[in-house]
Amino acid sequence: LALPPNGGAPCHQYEVYGACVADAGCVWDESALRCADTPCLLHCGQMDCDADEDNKCAWNGAENTCYTTPPTGGACEEQKTETGCLALEDPECEWSRDDEVCTEKLCTTTSKDECTADSQCEWFEEEGAAVCTPKRCTAPTEGECVADKRCEWEGGVCKVTECGRWPTEQLCSRDGNCYYDALSEPAACVPKRESCGDVVDKCACHEKEECFWLGSKAKCVESQYGACPTLDLVVLFDGSGSMVKQFGHHPHGFHALMATMREWVNGLPLSGDKAGAASAADTQKVRVAFVQYGGEYKKVQAKVAPPTAGYAGGRLSGDKDELLADIDWHEDNHFAKQTFIKQGLEMTTDVLATSPVDGRRRAVYIISDGKLDDEGRVAEELEKLHATKAEVFGIVVRRFAQHTEEDEKAEATLRPLTSVPQDDHFINIDMDHMASPEGPLSTICDPTTPFGKYLALPPNGGARPCYQAANMTSCLGEAACVWSDLTQRCGVSPCLAHCEAAPCNGDAENDCAWDQGAGECLPQKRCAATTEGECTADMSCAWERGVCTVDACRAHTGEAACLSEDAAVCEWSRDDVCRKVTGCVAQTSKGECEAERECEWFEEEGAAVCTPKRCTAPTEGECVADKRCEWEGGVCKVTECGRWPTEQLCSRDGNCYYDALSEPAVCVEKETCETVTERCRCQQQDECFWAGDACVESRYGACPTLDLVVLFDGSGSMTRQFGRHPHGYYALMATMR
């Protein structure tokens, strides 16, 4: 019923930039990508209106209204942010990261005659594509030529490379030797590096930083896939019409998604099983199936590639060629309609029904860019999907780095379809991140990532890449890894660089030894002594129950690394040694605590902890040397504050504060400036300041009337030890008290 926009309509009804700025009462909001009322309308007088230069206001005398001055530049030139620039569709724009300027795209015509008539453009017609593209590789000097990744200098002339000749992401990604670098400037089709899966020699695999030798399967894989289990995965992806728009630096969202999946499939440790063939239970490799959803109301809303020779046909497959053929088919058979997912969920459940119940893991990745049109009608299909025991993950792929209303709507409808806890099974990312090595596809088997932790294999000595070990204990459990206290990270041992026994055994600096059984050079196993004497002679080792093991605390050489160890509770002593916390703190029950002669059980204020006995010194000097104690009537007694054994309890007592830097850490009496009532006494203390009628801390002497909000982190990681504070969250609360 509504009239079409024609100047003077409510601003929110204008959907594109041009129509919005043509209305003097409206402005285009680049951050929200929508049309909004101009702030100029708030000015009711000419003086206020003309004075508002920030909003480019101007008084319209004929209408006695304050309007925004119409933009004088082109639509692209007016965009001041990358998101605003790339969001424009008419005209198409491109953003220069170097100059931070938005300009109109060249050579966007679809007419061959118009294209060839423009001296800056050339017509490309090959592989079923016909596009107008800016001329490439015309630089007159070698330096200018090779600065463009699409070009090479040969015989004194700048020429287009084999990959650089492909002008679009779609054509580039279909060439198995190339990949599309959307983040280079200009975006370029460049040669693909050798895949780790193509490397058959163990030593050659070790030489590549991005590769990992999967010893149990004698195969070289991408490092991020070193902890992959036997996995059957269905990718249920969005084939709606909104995917044809520009997504970040990718001119076409659906083509970008297909290119991303091609690159991903090329690197996956696939099982090699063809669709429909039996699959072994323990391969530590992956099978994948692709299902596209979308369609129209009461019509076909999900589809898979045909189940004919050469295709996976929507079935689970570990054959790279079959999966790539399926991706090509989907790219050529894009729904480009609405966003219905019900039939897609049904198809996904049917695919998983063919996955053997043999201990392998199952997962579903649901990818969407917009609101699901049938969100309230999928309860039955969703129940059946979750009954397959698959981990269901949701990925909203948004168009730009910043969030918009559209992708927030998508999030609201996709999140409820995922497994619990839903916060760990859902992510909202932009297309550039989706396509990156850190994206949710590439990190599917990385236990340090939100999705990977639900699918990756647990640590098992040499079964996963070193960088995935979170602390020294787990790091040294991996045969080829070494721990750095300096960086507090686990890395690959330099020993792996030796491919023969002689140079390996000669590398004493890195403590290398040739492992005849494994046929590779590894760091010598630490704490392998067979007697207690030999074991304890190494300060980083401990003799426990007749076995020499790594002492996760004493092996650390720095305070920061000592206090960061999660696998063992460590403390840093004044003699610069990292020691495992023993004695009273290690006891968790009242019986165990009281059985220790030097311990006492504290139970008060809802706390129950075992603590070393305090204030038992026989002399006054020894007694008062401990800040928790005082000498009274010839006896050493615990002070009012000293009785609190933890930082949490101490900080809740308004008269006390926790001194974490003393050794041992103690709860001591607090003396504040606020308790001083006399001006002269206040001025005698350096830390105090007399503020007219009260004594305050000197640092607060210049405080204004101030309202302050403290927005603080309540995440689970705050429960760990922070420096000398046993519990980070309690330490933060104590600091704020």
Side-chain angles (χ1 to χ4, degrees):
L1 298 176
L3 290 170
N6 187 29
C11 297
H12 71 271
Q13 294 181 3
Y14 297 120
E15 296 181 350
V16 296
Y17 170 83
C20 176
V21 298
D23 189 323
C26 305
V27 290
W28 185 255
D29 184 344
E30 282 192 60
S31 62
L33 301 179
R34 69 175 74 170
C35 193
D37 292 341
T38 173
C40 299
L41 292 173
L42 300 175
H43 301 305
C44 298
Q46 182 173 359
M47 186 177 295
D48 289 340
C49 176
D50 292 340
D52 189 347
E53 296 179 358
D54 291 340
N55 291 304
K56 300 179 180 177
C57 299
W59 185 255
N60 184 312
E63 298 182 29
N64 284 327
T65 304
C66 188
Y67 287 132
T68 297
T69 303
T72 55
C76 296
E77 287 73 13
E78 287 293 321
Q79 308 308 309
K80 305 306 178 188
T81 66
E82 184 173 13
T83 297
C85 176
L86 299 178
L88 283 194
E89 297 174 18
D90 185 19
E92 292 181 58
C93 308
E94 57 188 358
W95 181 260
S96 167
R97 284 200 203 88
D98 294 337
D99 303 325
E100 295 192 342
V101 171
C102 186
T103 56
E104 189 169 337
K105 263 188 183 177
L106 299 173
C107 311
T108 58
T109 181
T110 57
S111 163
K112 182 177 181 179
D113 291 339
E114 290 179 6
C115 180
T116 54
D118 189 329
S119 61
Q120 300 181 81
C121 308
E122 61 185 358
W123 187 253
F124 179 94
E125 196 163 352
E126 198 175 326
E127 296 289 332
V131 295
C132 187
T133 180
K135 285 182 178 176
R136 292 156 291 175
C137 308
T138 58
T141 67
E142 183 175 3
E144 292 175 286
C145 176
V146 297
D148 187 330
K149 293 181 178 180
R150 302 169 297 179
C151 310
E152 60 186 353
W153 189 261
E154 188 178 299
V157 179
C158 191
K159 295 183 177 180
V160 179
T161 64
E162 279 299 308
C163 290
R165 71 194 184 96
W166 301 119
T168 70
E169 183 166 20
Q170 181 183 19
L171 292 169
C172 176
S173 72
R174 288 196 172 194
D175 185 327
N177 299 312
C178 310
Y179 82 96
Y180 190 76
D181 185 354
L183 298 181
S184 70
E185 195 166 310
C189 186
V190 297
K192 187 186 298 180
R193 66 170 174 78
E194 181 185 23
S195 168
C196 296
D198 297 330
V199 180
V200 295
D201 180 69
K202 181 194 296 187
C203 205
C205 183
H206 287 322
E207 288 174 354
K208 294 180 176 292
E209 187 178 349
E210 68 275 10
C211 300
F212 175 75
W213 184 257
L214 192 60
S216 61
K217 305 302 172 188
K219 183 176 177 64
C220 189
V221 298
E222 305 284 331
S223 289
Q224 67 263 35
Y225 301 130
C228 272
T230 304
L231 173 67
D232 285 344
L233 169 69
V234 181
V235 180
L236 177 61
F237 60 91
D238 186 349
S240 64
S242 57
M243 289 292 293
V244 304
K245 297 179 181 178
Q246 176 149 343
F247 274 61
H249 294 88
H250 303 267
H252 191 290
F254 194 71
H255 294 332
L257 182 60
M258 297 300 101
T260 298
M261 293 199 295
R262 281 192 193 93
E263 189 69 14
W264 175 59
V265 164
N266 275 312
L268 272 178
L270 295 169
S271 68
D273 303 315
K274 289 190 176 293
S279 175
D282 181 23
T283 62
Q284 269 187 252
K285 295 178 184 176
V286 182
R287 296 193 303 168
V288 182
F290 294 109
V291 179
Q292 181 183 171
Y293 68 91
E296 298 176 84
Y297 183 61
K298 290 190 175 180
K299 293 185 180 181
V300 175
Q301 295 170 0
K303 56 187 174 184
V304 296
T308 54
Y311 291 103
R315 297 167 293 176
L316 290 163
S317 172
D319 184 87
K320 181 169 73 172
D321 291 337
E322 286 186 342
L323 293 172
L324 291 175
D326 271 27
I327 293 171
D328 288 350
W329 184 90
H330 280 291
E331 189 165 40
D332 294 336
N333 292 273
H334 180 199
F335 271 126
K337 299 293 183 182
Q338 292 173 267
T339 316
F340 294 106
I341 198 172
K342 183 176 182 177
Q343 289 181 17
L345 295 173
E346 290 175 345
M347 278 192 176
T348 300
T349 302
D350 291 342
V351 172
L352 290 173
T354 67
S355 176
V357 182
D358 57 7
R360 74 183 59 220
R361 301 186 188 185
R362 300 182 186 87
V364 178
Y365 270 18
I366 305 177
I367 302 171
S368 177
D369 86 307
K371 178 179 179 292
L372 301 176
D373 293 324
D374 53 357
E375 57 172 314
R377 304 193 296 274
V378 297
E380 183 180 345
E381 291 73 21
L382 191 60
E383 183 179 355
K384 290 178 180 178
L385 175 60
H386 285 295
T388 65
K389 306 298 183 185
E391 295 281 351
V392 181
F393 301 94
I395 305 168
V396 166
V397 182
R398 61 180 186 267
R399 294 183 62 200
F400 307 108
Q402 66 193 52
H403 290 266
T404 63
E405 184 178 356
E406 189 63 30
D407 62 80
E408 287 171 356
K409 288 179 180 177
E411 181 172 330
T413 57
L414 181 55
R415 185 189 292 267
L417 307 189
T418 62
S419 298
V420 293
Q422 290 179 341
D423 283 348
D424 286 354
H425 287 77
F426 179 84
I427 191 170
N428 185 331
I429 59 174
D430 60 85
M431 182 64 82
D432 290 338
H433 186 194
M434 179 75 177
S436 76
E438 292 77 37
L441 290 176
S442 297
T443 58
I444 191 171
C445 299
D446 185 343
T448 65
T449 62
F451 290 5
K453 69 182 179 183
Y454 288 97
L455 299 176
L457 290 170
N460 187 27
R464 70 177 185 183
C466 299
Y467 78 91
Q468 293 178 1
N471 54 41
M472 190 188 72
T473 304
S474 57
C475 178
L476 298 182
E478 305 291 338
C481 304
V482 289
W483 178 262
S484 168
D485 259 3
L486 181 64
T487 62
Q488 294 184 42
R489 289 183 180 177
C490 188
V492 176
S493 169
C495 297
L496 290 178
H498 302 303
C499 299
E500 296 178 357
C504 171
N505 294 327
D507 188 348
E509 181 181 352
N510 292 303
D511 208 16
C512 303
W514 186 259
D515 187 318
Q516 197 65 39
E520 61 186 340
C521 187
L522 298 171
Q524 292 195 47
K525 188 177 180 182
R526 297 182 71 172
C527 306
T530 55
T531 66
E532 183 175 2
E534 290 177 300
C535 177
T536 55
D538 184 337
M539 287 189 63
S540 64
C541 304
W543 186 261
E544 296 179 0
R545 299 177 184 176
V547 178
C548 191
T549 62
V550 174
D551 186 324
C553 294
R554 297 191 71 173
H556 287 300
T557 56
E559 181 177 7
C562 173
L563 298 178
S564 70
E565 182 67 32
D566 293 332
V569 181
C570 306
E571 61 183 358
W572 186 256
S573 67
R574 284 274 172 91
D575 55 354
D576 291 338
V577 175
C578 186
R579 293 190 175 94
K580 188 178 292 185
V581 174
T582 57
C584 305
V585 178
Q587 311 307 320
T588 56
S589 71
K590 184 176 181 181
E592 291 175 343
C593 180
E594 293 179 340
E596 297 287 338
R597 187 175 60 182
E598 297 179 349
C599 305
E600 62 184 357
W601 187 253
F602 179 94
E603 197 161 354
E604 197 175 326
E605 296 287 335
V609 295
C610 188
T611 180
K613 285 181 178 176
R614 291 156 290 177
C615 308
T616 58
T619 67
E620 182 175 3
E622 292 175 286
C623 176
V624 296
D626 187 332
K627 294 180 180 180
R628 300 169 296 183
C629 309
E630 60 185 354
W631 188 261
E632 189 178 297
V635 179
C636 192
K637 295 183 177 181
V638 179
T639 64
E640 279 298 308
C641 291
R643 70 193 184 96
W644 302 119
T646 69
E647 183 169 17
Q648 183 184 21
L649 293 169
C650 175
S651 72
R652 289 193 173 189
D653 185 328
N655 299 312
C656 309
Y657 82 95
Y658 190 76
D659 185 354
L661 298 181
S662 70
E663 194 166 315
V666 292
C667 186
V668 295
E669 188 177 357
K670 184 191 327 182
E671 183 179 1
T672 65
C673 297
E674 284 76 6
T675 60
V676 179
T677 57
E678 297 176 10
R679 176 173 184 162
C680 193
R681 278 194 59 213
C682 178
Q683 292 175 334
Q684 288 173 345
Q685 301 184 53
D686 290 340
E687 69 274 14
C688 300
F689 174 78
W690 186 257
D693 57 356
C695 191
V696 298
E697 301 280 335
S698 293
R699 58 193 165 200
Y700 302 132
C703 268
T705 304
L706 173 67
D707 289 340
L708 170 68
V709 179
V710 180
L711 178 61
F712 60 90
D713 185 352
S715 63
S717 59
M718 289 291 294
T719 63
R720 293 182 289 187
Q721 177 151 341
F722 274 59
R724 294 179 172 271
H725 302 268
H727 190 292
Y729 193 73
Y730 294 156
L732 181 61
M733 296 302 103
T735 300
M736 294 199 293
R737 284 192 192 93

